[in-house]
Amino acid sequence: MYNPYQHSTDRWPAAPGFTEEQLNDVPLITVHPATVPAAIGAVFLLMAGMGAQYEFYVVMRWAVTGMAIWMCVVASALKRTPWVVVFVAIALLFNPLIPVYATREFWVPFDFAGFVLFWVAGVKLRASKPAPPTG
């Protein structure tokens, strides 16, 4: 039975593990597979942009790079190449292995831009999957 609160009439690319053919003529559920890494990356970048101790920036680099790689994997699975490119760039900019050293004033715009990109991607990277059978 179709439940408008659970099912969706919007069709997005097939969620990882599903094919486009499996989405034909069945009730669909919209999923947001990038929500967790987007939220974690956005929170770290927002906190960095508001100013923090140096030790926080070390942890932030690891967290943001890890979440950017996770977002690359999700975007790649959804065949969203522009988002893959964006998050590869973020991962390279914030990577802790070959860090870019600069002043706090230099980093603030990048922190807030990264925050916005993580937030928008978390909302925009959607997928459809078949609804589980009911009842």
Side-chain angles (χ1 to χ4, degrees):
M1 177 195 289
Y2 180 80
N3 178 349
Y5 297 106
Q6 180 181 10
H7 302 102
S8 173
T9 57
D10 297 331
R11 180 152 177 176
W12 305 102
F18 295 95
T19 63
E20 291 294 328
E21 291 77 33
Q22 291 174 310
L23 303 181
N24 293 333
D25 302 321
V26 297
L28 300 175
I29 293 178
T30 300
V31 293
H32 297 268
T35 301
V36 171
I40 294 170
V43 166
F44 270 96
L45 286 167
L46 181 62
M47 291 171 53
M50 293 185 340
Q53 299 297 322
Y54 176 77
E55 293 79 15
F56 173 79
Y57 288 100
V58 174
V59 173
M60 183 271 305
R61 284 181 179 272
W62 284 99
V64 169
T65 301
M67 295 306 106
I69 292 169
W70 189 352
M71 294 291 283
C72 285
V73 171
V74 170
S76 177
L78 296 177
K79 297 174 180 54
R80 304 298 269 303
T81 306
W83 284 113
V84 173
V85 172
V86 165
F87 286 105
V88 164
I90 289 174
L92 290 173
L93 181 63
F94 287 97
N95 86 81
L97 301 176
I98 307 171
V100 175
Y101 292 107
T103 64
R104 185 175 297 211
E105 292 77 24
F106 172 85
W107 280 108
V108 169
F110 290 104
D111 293 338
F112 285 118
F115 165 77
V116 170
L117 289 169
F118 269 103
W119 189 269
V120 170
V123 173
K124 293 284 188 181
L125 291 176
R126 298 175 278 213
S128 293
K129 70 177 191 175
T134 58

